[in-house]
Amino acid sequence: MTNSTPSKKVENHGVAWEQAFGYVQAVQVKDTIYVSGQLSHDDKGNLVAPAELDEDKRPADFSQMESQIRQTYVNAKTLLARYGATLDDVVEETLCVLDVPSAFAAASKVRREMYGTDVPQCASNLIGVSALAFPEQIVEITFRAVIDRPAD
């Protein structure tokens, strides 16, 4: 019996937590690109629009939700572009958020902006969670995209 492993093409942002946690930001196998949970960091790994924390080190409010979601999509678009893909190739996304009502309102607006249409043509999940990787982080989004060409 032959063990056949599909060819993988991987991408990273080059931020510290990739090595610390031990993962890649995106991997392409055949015609599918799997994008790990993205968050709202800049190219140096600094969180964009961090939530203010209360005395318990929990987000004090969710007023930064729209800004965090927008930067998260920007980061996903950067990764997808390295595969020659765009948000038009996304078939599924999952938003993990600390506050569903604020995320629903913010994501409705940002998704229309990022996908360039009132009804983005992808399956979408919005899931409330109790915590994310960083205390100031209030959203994380994963993506799955399908393109017409296999990995190199």
Side-chain angles (χ1 to χ4, degrees), residues 25-97:
Q25 294 287 347
V27 59
Q28 179 184 356
V29 178
K30 297 182 181 177
D31 63 351
T32 304
I33 303 164
Y34 303 88
V35 180
S36 295
Q38 297 298 294
L39 53 131
S40 67
H41 62 81
D42 63 18
D43 59 355
K44 293 180 177 51
N46 301 309
L47 202 60
V48 173
E52 284 191 40
L53 302 179
D54 63 18
E55 61 278 352
D56 296 322
K57 303 293 186 214
R58 302 278 302 155
D61 66 51
F62 301 99
S63 61
Q64 297 298 330
M65 187 69 75
E66 184 177 322
S67 296
Q68 282 199 21
I69 290 173
R70 184 172 286 107
Q71 183 62 42
T72 300
Y73 275 96
V74 167
N75 292 342
K77 287 170 67 171
T78 297
L79 287 171
L80 289 168
R82 294 182 190 161
Y83 296 97
T86 69
L87 288 176
D88 289 338
D89 298 302
V90 171
V91 297
E92 182 179 29
E93 62 180 17
T94 299
L95 292 82
C96 295
V97 301

Side-chain angles (χ1 to χ4, degrees), residues 87-88 110-120:
L87 288 176
D88 289 338
V110 176
R111 291 178 72 251
R112 286 180 179 99
E113 174 187 318
M114 289 293 158
Y115 285 99
T117 182
D118 285 343
V119 183

